[in-house]
Amino acid sequence: MGTIDLRSEIREFLSSRRARLSPEQSGLPAYGGNRRVKGLRREEVAMLAGVSVDYYVRMERGSLAGASEGVLDSLASALQLDEAERDHLFALARESGSGRGRRQRKTTATIRPALQQVLDAITDAPAWIRNGRHDVLAMNQLARALYSPVLADPRRLANTTRFVYLNPVEAEEFFVDYDQVARDAAAMLRMEAGRNPNDEELIALVGELSTRSELFRQRWASQDVRFHRSGRKRLRHPVVGQLDLDFEAMELPAEPGLQLNIYTAAAGTPTADGLKLLASWAASQENLPSERAAAPG
């Protein structure tokens, strides 16, 4: 994949959202069972959105340039888009109107030392920072211990989506809800592609995953998008066993494109005890190199 074709992105996203809606779901009468298209017809979407059929057809063919916020809102309502899908639609429209010469927005690959200090100050919870491509940029000690299977290959920057799709045996063992994790990973990457379609490293990642993973190709083709703000993450750690963690993901306003993730567990739960055990194990692992260096030859 040499580029992300914005017109194709728009076309496939709108047509896939249209195809999933039936007339009944949209409050329209169903005229028999001989509909030749899956889901709503283009003219039905146009009517629901309050635009002409010709205008909607132009939009679905990949041209959102010039579409007003009101039109986009009406289109999102007609297609019954959720919050993430609506955000994605508006991002595609912004990029569509920006012109081919738009300068690539750099997606950060390193972090400031002060951010590492913040991570290191969090001692009771795994905390880490990633960019929009899902590269793991920095972690605290507990996060390095928690995500040790993801960090096993030291030859390249760790990337959680690459791990999920290109190390499926290890990933299925590590993520209890592997299928959901795989769906979410592709959906979040799709959202990033809508926000930053000129990111060459993102394009390369999508190309690599598409070439090497049939599962990723299927998930990518679904056109699904999803936020990653909070929820439950169930991990099966090779040292301390299963951990049912609550996560919070927060954007860093001073570092556009970066996200801080923190995993916690309610006090008194088996997972809280597991995190304490993991912290002890992590401390012992951190001390190993210096102990070996000091050992007599």
Side-chain angles (χ1 to χ4, degrees):
M1 176 180 291
T3 184
I4 292 178
D5 186 336
L6 195 59
R7 293 184 69 91
S8 294
E9 288 290 301
I10 295 168
R11 181 174 62 249
E12 292 170 12
F13 178 67
L14 290 179
S15 62
S16 67
R17 301 309 94 170
R18 175 169 60 85
R20 71 182 182 181
L21 289 176
S22 68
E24 294 86 351
Q25 289 173 305
S26 301
L28 298 175
Y31 298 106
N34 291 324
R35 296 175 65 89
R36 290 184 296 176
V37 297
K38 182 180 179 181
L40 295 179
R41 298 186 177 101
R42 291 188 180 92
E43 55 266 30
E44 290 170 331
V45 176
M47 180 186 68
L48 290 167
V51 299
S52 71
V53 176
D54 286 345
Y55 187 31
Y56 176 71
V57 169
R58 286 200 302 273
M59 288 194 288
E60 193 175 293
R61 285 177 177 169
S63 178
L64 291 176
S68 68
E69 185 174 326
V71 166
L72 294 173
D73 271 327
S74 296
L75 180 56
S77 297
L79 293 173
Q80 300 182 25
L81 303 186
D82 63 21
E83 185 184 1
E85 291 167 332
R86 184 180 292 260
D87 185 277
H88 187 57
L89 174 66
F90 274 75
L92 292 173
R94 284 193 300 273
E95 294 298 327
S96 182
S98 65
R100 288 180 175 270
R102 177 169 176 142
R103 187 177 180 181
Q104 175 186 339
R105 173 172 67 81
K106 293 293 184 181
T107 303
T108 306
T110 58
I111 68 161
R112 291 180 289 111
L115 288 177
Q116 183 64 59
Q117 291 171 205
V118 171
L119 292 175
D120 292 339
I122 303 171
T123 56
D124 295 331
W128 54 289
I129 293 172
R130 69 165 177 83
N131 60 23
R133 294 187 298 269
H134 301 176
D135 296 326
V136 179
L137 304 181
M139 314 180 92
N140 66 4
Q141 184 185 67
L142 199 50
R144 287 193 294 272
L146 179 68
Y147 264 57
S148 54
V150 182
L151 305 173
D153 185 354
R155 294 171 298 177
R156 64 194 311 181
L157 188 64
N159 180 285
T160 53
T161 301
R162 185 182 286 115
F163 174 76
V164 165
Y165 282 104
L166 301 188
N167 301 85
V169 175
E170 295 88 345
E172 285 190 55
E173 177 62 26
F174 184 57
F175 293 108
V176 176
D177 305 302
Y178 174 78
D179 289 342
Q180 185 63 52
V181 168
R183 281 194 294 271
D184 289 349
M188 289 185 289
L189 210 60
R190 170 72 73 180
M191 285 203 75
E192 179 65 14
R195 297 189 192 106
N196 198 17
N198 299 311
D199 183 340
E200 294 178 359
E201 292 184 64
L202 173 63
I203 293 166
L205 175 62
V206 172
E208 177 188 9
L209 297 174
S210 299
T211 300
R212 299 178 58 189
S213 171
E214 171 63 26
L215 179 60
F216 180 80
R217 289 195 293 274
Q218 295 172 6
R219 296 285 186 253
W220 190 252
S222 74
Q223 293 290 323
D224 289 338
V225 291
R226 189 164 289 116
F227 287 129
H228 185 72
R229 293 171 170 170
S230 64
R232 174 62 63 93
K233 188 81 71 175
R234 301 197 301 163
L235 306 177
R236 193 181 294 108
H237 194 272
V239 174
V240 301
Q242 183 164 324
L243 300 169
D244 298 342
L245 297 157
D246 298 309
F247 75 83
E248 296 291 333
M250 293 159 276
E251 301 290 337
L252 298 175
E255 301 289 347
L258 296 192
Q259 188 175 84
L260 170 64
N261 297 296
I262 301 179
Y263 293 160
T264 61
T269 62
T271 294
D273 293 338
L275 283 179
K276 292 177 183 177
L277 181 59
L278 183 64
S280 297
W281 178 78
S284 69
Q285 296 299 110
E286 291 283 332
N287 290 332
L288 280 178
S290 59
E291 289 174 0
R292 287 172 178 166

